[in-house]
């Protein structure tokens, strides 16, 4: 079975790493022959810091499906077309936006250096902060703020790109058209019939529509309509998630002290 996990708000919270108890069970899933993968709005390089080294060669899908990383290397990208990207930058600057542009591995940032979002970018110092003219094959634009968010959103929607919304953040994630987590999973060769996904937000909808089983973390109304299982986030969350993983995988032989 393929176990596919969102990161923020699903496996970890408030920017903290995934707990060691959860990681131990995920490792046991892998040892039992299941595939464990992660699919996040984060770039792949920014997924690595919240996992431990046992998972750094696993399948990572970043940028909501724009980048695929496997066995320690970039395995695929879905870039924004050059002409569309250049027009998007014009519109971002016209709306006085602050934004991050990701390439296959490096990034460009336009905005205040003390913006809280930068605390999540390249914590392991694996990438380079590049200049705008150095950008080659941009895969995602993340807009952190602008002078006129509604105008910017309307202008971006005319470019034939995909805008991924986050219900708890006033940000826009922009990728090439047709990019989402499910398409990246499918392109990698995994089937929905053999997959169970875990997620908490709007960008997880494509996976929830395709996976044989889907576990909602929290109470997102759109995901709740599709979910086969649900876990509330409270003080017992880690143990409830572990119990659900063991139930789904039937890992009756797992014995870990918590």
């Amino acid at each position: 079975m393929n176990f596919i996990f969102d990161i923020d708000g699903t496996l970890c919270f408030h920017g903290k790493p995934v707990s060691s108890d959860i990681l131990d069970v995920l490792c046991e899933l892998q040892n039992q022959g299941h595939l464990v993968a992660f699919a996040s709005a984060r770039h792949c390089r920014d997924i690595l810091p919240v996992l431990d080294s046992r998972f750094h060669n696993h399948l990572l899908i970043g940028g909501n499906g724009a980048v695929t990383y496997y066995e320690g290397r970039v395995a695929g990208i879905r870039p924004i077309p050059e002409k569309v990207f250049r027009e998007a930058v014009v519109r971002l600057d016209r709306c006085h936006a602050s934004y991050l542009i990701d390439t296959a591995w490096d990034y460009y940032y336009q905005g205040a250096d003390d913006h809280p979002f930068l605390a999540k970018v390249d914590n392991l110092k694996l990438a380079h902060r590049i200049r705008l003219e150095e950008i080659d094959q941009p895969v995602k634009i993340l807009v952190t703020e602008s002078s006129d968010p509604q105008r910017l959103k309307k202008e971006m929607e005319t470019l034939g790109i995909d805008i991924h919304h986050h219900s708890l953040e006033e940000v826009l994630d922009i990728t090439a058209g047709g990019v989402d987590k499910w398409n990246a999973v499918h392109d990698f060769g995994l089937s929905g019939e053999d997959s169970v996904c875990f997620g908490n937000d709007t960008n997880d909808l494509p996976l929830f529509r395709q996976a044989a089983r889907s576990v909602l973390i929290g109470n997102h109304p759109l995901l709740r309509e599709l979910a086969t299982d649900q876990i509330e986030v409270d003080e017992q969350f880690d143990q409830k998630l572990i119990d659900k993983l063991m139930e789904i995988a039937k890992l009756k032989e797992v014995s870990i002290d918590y």
Side-chain angles (χ1 to χ4, degrees), residues 228-244:
T228 58
D229 304 84
Q230 184 174 6
I231 302 175
E232 294 293 339
V233 178
D234 55 25
E235 293 181 356
Q236 288 76 46
F237 171 74
D238 281 14
Q239 188 59 56
K240 289 193 291 188
L241 176 60
I242 288 167
D243 290 345
K244 181 61 65 176

Side-chain angles (χ1 to χ4, degrees), residues 29-90:
L29 286 172
Q30 190 80 16
N31 292 339
Q32 292 291 325
H34 302 287
L35 182 143
V36 174
F38 306 91
S40 175
R42 292 182 181 230
H43 194 285
C44 298
R45 63 159 190 268
D46 298 327
I47 296 174
L48 296 174
V50 299
L51 304 174
D52 66 35
S53 58
R54 290 176 293 176
F55 300 91
H56 286 191
N57 286 331
H58 279 52
L59 173 62
L60 309 180
I61 292 169
N64 288 314
V67 183
T68 300
Y69 185 83
Y70 183 60
E71 294 185 342
R73 63 179 182 82
V74 176
I77 64 171
R78 299 153 191 86
I80 300 170
E82 178 70 15
K83 184 177 180 180
V84 173
F85 168 69
R86 295 300 171 189
E87 180 58 32
V89 170
V90 169

Side-chain angles (χ1 to χ4, degrees), residues 115-170:
H115 194 287
F117 177 77
L118 281 182
K120 294 182 179 181
V121 178
D122 194 29
N123 286 341
L124 298 182
K125 305 302 179 187
L126 299 174
H128 296 96
R129 181 172 173 175
I130 58 178
R131 301 188 306 272
L132 184 62
E133 58 268 24
E134 295 179 285
I135 293 173
D136 180 46
Q137 292 190 305
V139 297
K140 191 182 85 161
I141 304 170
L142 185 140
V143 183
T144 56
E145 56 188 46
S146 73
S147 62
D148 192 341
Q150 291 304 314
R151 173 191 172 191
L152 178 60
K153 179 175 178 290
K154 288 180 180 178
E155 290 198 7
M156 288 297 183
E157 287 175 339
T158 67
L159 292 178
I161 53 182
D162 280 359
I163 298 177
H164 307 262
H165 299 279
H166 300 268
S167 59
L168 300 181
E169 297 181 73
E170 292 300 320

